[in-house]
Amino acid sequence: MLTRREFIRAAAGGVAATALADCGTDMGDASSAPPLPADRKWLTLLAKGMDKEYDHSADVEGRLPVGLTGTLYRNGPGMFARNGFSKRTILDGDGMIRATRFSDGGVRFRNRFVRTTKYVAEESAGEFLYPTWTTPAPGFFSNIPCIPSRSQAGVTPVVKGGVLYAFDEVGGPYPIDPRTLDAGRETNPYEGEAGTGPVNYKAHTKTDAKTGDWVLVGQRGQRKPELHVVVKNSAGHQTRHIAYASPRGRAYFHDFFWADPYAVFHLQPAMLSPLPMLIGTRTFAESLEWRPEEGSMLFVVDTTGARPPLVLDIPASWMWHALNAHVAGNTIVADFVGYDTPDHFLGPDASFRAIMQGREGVAKSPGTLRRMTIDLAARRARVETILAGRYEFPFVPQRRVGQPYRYGYVSSSRVSDQGWFHDGISRIDVTSGKEQAFHFGSGYYVGEPVFAPDPAARGDGEHDTGWLLAEVLEGASGTSFIAVFDANALADGPLAKVRLHHALPFSFHGWWDAAQT
């Protein structure tokens, strides 16, 4: 929320802004990127919203594993356009939960839009009313300021205490009935005194494998933002809350690392210029500037308060997602997918933007698997590459979160003609850098792999016994399926394909819940 002074400044700035580009126009689209070739136009299905909510049995090709019982929840933007006005990037749209239920050898699929305050108001109006983080609302005066203020609840799903939560990066999560997918009112997980906790929560949370603690991070304030960490125990009660002024207040970050008791923020040099947003000439994403010469900054927070925060400089890299982290003696080991530059996201020809217009896009800098080693005593950190490839959406099984581990899972590419959009999944041995993978090849897009443990498995060995579930868009048929893999035998290909009769748009993240069938 804006302060009174900020609002006055924004309104005054709006007078001057009338001579500038309208935030409701599609700025920066004078592009040299050519259209997608005919054999890749199917990729635009990822950017096509769903005009229907389904509830149907799915066809199974192959054999589902015995023991695979539960529900795969996924979340992502499901609506990209209203009344002829479209979102600017594939990352931006109203949240849609999809639930794929495995039970008694059969599968049922259901999807439902999250009825956020924003969604309900715009559904009634028949048009977009509010600016979002990459897209303005139609019309100039709706964008003073051009700051996202309404959650779309479209990034992550998390199940806690029998409730499914849909997170965004604005406001708090929306609670959802995991059976009906009906949404309640936006909530704030913070249990402290009003006005002292986070206002906006990050989409990513961590559940500690050893303690069951649920760790959430958020922010409060705009000019001098505070970073907040909230820890809730397995019974749902808040046990820790700590907040510090961000040492790099205008840096954008999406995810964080958890290695109890430490939360580590990677404050990359994606710096926000707020004035264009305040006067209504740029969206949040368009106001980000990549400054690699300033390097990245690590902010290491002891959530018990026993140690003061530690600020460390490392070489610049862009990070969407952390893989995992753990404490080893007086060292924190933190693994992530990093990019030398976010060319797939920022700029008029960025892949995430171009696909919305059916164009080729820029994605020259691949995501590689990297490791940060933070020496707490020496107050220094180093970064190395575990494996150079084309990766994103790193995932670690729940029983490994915040603990030493050997294997991580990612979406990956073997072909380069699809740019950023991946065609397979990989299991990476983070100790040796060895990779086991399966790629469908050109003509397929594969999203984040989600691990479902085998309930019959015993022991805490290095190998993860269970299955990987991934959404796949098949270009030839124009439909989607859920691929089911043996986590220890990816190269053998999918054990089964849960085929849908329609395409699914791009989604971000998933959650496996064995309790819901």
Side-chain angles (χ1 to χ4, degrees):
M1 298 293 293
L2 288 176
T3 65
R4 181 174 181 273
R5 180 178 296 178
E6 287 170 336
F7 178 81
I8 293 172
R9 289 175 57 197
V15 176
T18 56
L20 302 176
D22 188 336
C23 191
T25 64
D26 210 358
M27 297 172 296
D29 275 342
S31 170
S32 59
L36 285 165
D39 63 349
R40 293 181 59 222
K41 287 187 180 298
W42 61 270
L43 275 171
T44 59
L45 290 173
L46 292 172
K48 185 178 184 299
M50 297 193 73
D51 56 6
K52 183 178 179 180
E53 294 180 327
Y54 293 90
D55 185 356
H56 62 79
S57 295
D59 299 329
V60 177
E61 178 183 306
R63 185 180 295 274
L64 291 173
V66 176
L68 182 61
T69 301
T71 301
L72 171 66
Y73 295 104
R74 291 200 62 87
N75 196 358
M79 180 174 294
F80 298 102
R82 282 189 187 274
N83 195 28
F85 192 87
S86 298
K87 298 295 184 182
R88 287 188 178 169
T89 77
I90 198 172
L91 305 182
D92 201 354
D94 289 289
M96 184 188 72
I97 295 290
R98 51 198 85 171
T100 307
R101 306 187 191 279
F102 297 79
S103 178
D104 300 324
V107 185
R108 190 165 192 87
F109 174 86
R110 184 175 188 179
N111 70 294
R112 188 165 172 80
F113 285 100
V114 184
R115 264 62 176 184
T116 63
T117 302
K118 172 186 177 297
Y119 179 93
V120 171
E122 293 178 338
E123 182 77 356
S124 177
E127 62 179 349
F128 290 131
L129 300 174
Y130 308 103
T132 51
W133 77 303
T134 75
T135 310
F140 179 70
F141 290 104
S142 297
N143 298 290
I144 303 178
C146 199
I147 297 175
S149 60
R150 301 290 191 279
S151 171
Q152 297 183 101
V155 183
T156 55
V158 178
V159 176
K160 292 294 173 185
V163 178
L164 172 66
Y165 292 94
F167 279 82
D168 196 358
E169 290 210 328
V170 176
Y174 274 79
I176 297 172
D177 185 310
R179 297 293 304 177
T180 65
L181 303 187
D182 292 334
R185 294 184 178 181
E186 183 177 356
T187 186
N188 187 339
Y190 176 64
E191 298 174 0
E193 182 181 349
T196 62
V199 174
N200 296 306
Y201 285 83
K202 285 295 178 177
H204 286 277
T205 69
K206 313 294 180 186
T207 301
D208 189 279
K210 186 175 182 180
T211 64
D213 286 347
W214 189 24
V215 186
L216 306 96
V217 302
Q219 293 176 277
R220 185 177 190 88
Q222 293 180 357
R223 288 180 297 172
K224 295 181 179 180
E226 294 175 339
L227 298 179
H228 290 249
V229 184
V230 175
V231 180
K232 301 170 80 73
N233 64 20
S234 57
H237 303 301
Q238 184 171 306
T239 59
R240 281 179 260 175
H241 168 241
I242 199 161
Y244 292 102
S246 172
R248 181 177 261 181
R250 294 180 180 177
Y252 172 73
F253 71 97
H254 177 66
D255 199 357
F256 71 104
F257 299 96
W258 173 251
D260 197 10
Y262 300 102
V264 180
F265 298 90
H266 177 213
L267 304 178
Q268 56 205 5
M271 310 305 289
L272 183 68
S273 298
L275 182 59
M277 288 192 302
L278 291 172
I279 64 176
T281 62
R282 288 289 185 271
T283 64
F284 180 92
E286 290 166 333
S287 300
L288 288 175
E289 181 183 354
W290 181 244
R291 302 177 187 173
E293 69 280 1
E294 297 186 20
S296 286
M297 180 182 291
L298 299 181
F299 190 47
V300 184
V301 174
D302 182 340
T303 59
T304 68
R307 297 188 184 188
L310 182 62
V311 178
L312 301 173
D313 294 323
I314 58 171
S317 64
W318 174 274
M319 181 188 102
W320 285 116
H321 300 116
L323 172 56
N324 199 18
H326 67 275
V327 175
N330 210 29
T331 299
I332 300 173
V333 178
D335 299 336
F336 68 106
V337 171
Y339 301 79
D340 290 338
T341 181
D343 60 355
H344 60 284
F345 171 50
L346 299 180
D349 280 343
S351 182
F352 286 177
R353 185 177 179 119
I355 192 175
M356 302 298 290
Q357 300 146 9
R359 298 187 290 109
E360 289 277 14
V362 173
K364 295 180 180 179
S365 179
T368 62
L369 191 61
R370 307 180 186 191
R371 167 166 291 178
M372 293 187 295
T373 304
I374 303 169
D375 188 326
L376 298 171
R379 302 175 64 88
R380 62 171 178 259
R382 71 176 189 274
V383 182
E384 59 187 321
T385 298
I386 295 176
L387 195 61
R390 303 175 69 88
Y391 307 123
E392 195 36 88
F393 294 124
F395 194 97
V396 68
Q398 176 52 49
R399 71 188 187 102
R400 309 290 189 188
V401 174
Q403 302 300 312
Y405 74 114
R406 182 172 177 181
Y407 296 106
Y409 307 90
V410 291
S411 62
S412 62
S413 288
R414 182 177 60 191
V415 297
S416 59
D417 64 350
Q418 288 185 191
W420 182 90
F421 299 97
H422 306 110
D423 70 317
I425 61 176
S426 297
R427 183 186 78 166
I428 297 174
D429 185 334
V430 298
T431 62
S432 68
K434 292 182 179 179
E435 178 179 12
Q436 183 183 149
F438 179 85
H439 294 96
F440 290 93
S442 296
Y444 293 86
Y445 167 75
V446 184
E448 173 198 63
V450 176
F451 182 78
D454 183 345
R458 296 182 179 181
D460 291 323
E462 292 181 328
H463 291 80
D464 302 314
T465 304
W467 307 282
L468 292 170
L469 312 179
E471 281 187 356
V472 182
L473 176 62
E474 184 178 68
S477 67
T479 61
S480 296
F481 61 86
I482 311 297
V484 181
F485 296 86
D486 182 333
N488 290 310
L490 283 185
D492 294 342
L495 302 170
K497 298 177 181 178
V498 178
R499 288 199 171 272
L500 308 177
H501 304 295
H502 48 80
L504 293 175
F506 181 79
S507 69
F508 294 112
H509 301 289
W511 182 276
W512 173 257
D513 185 13
Q516 297 295 331
T517 58

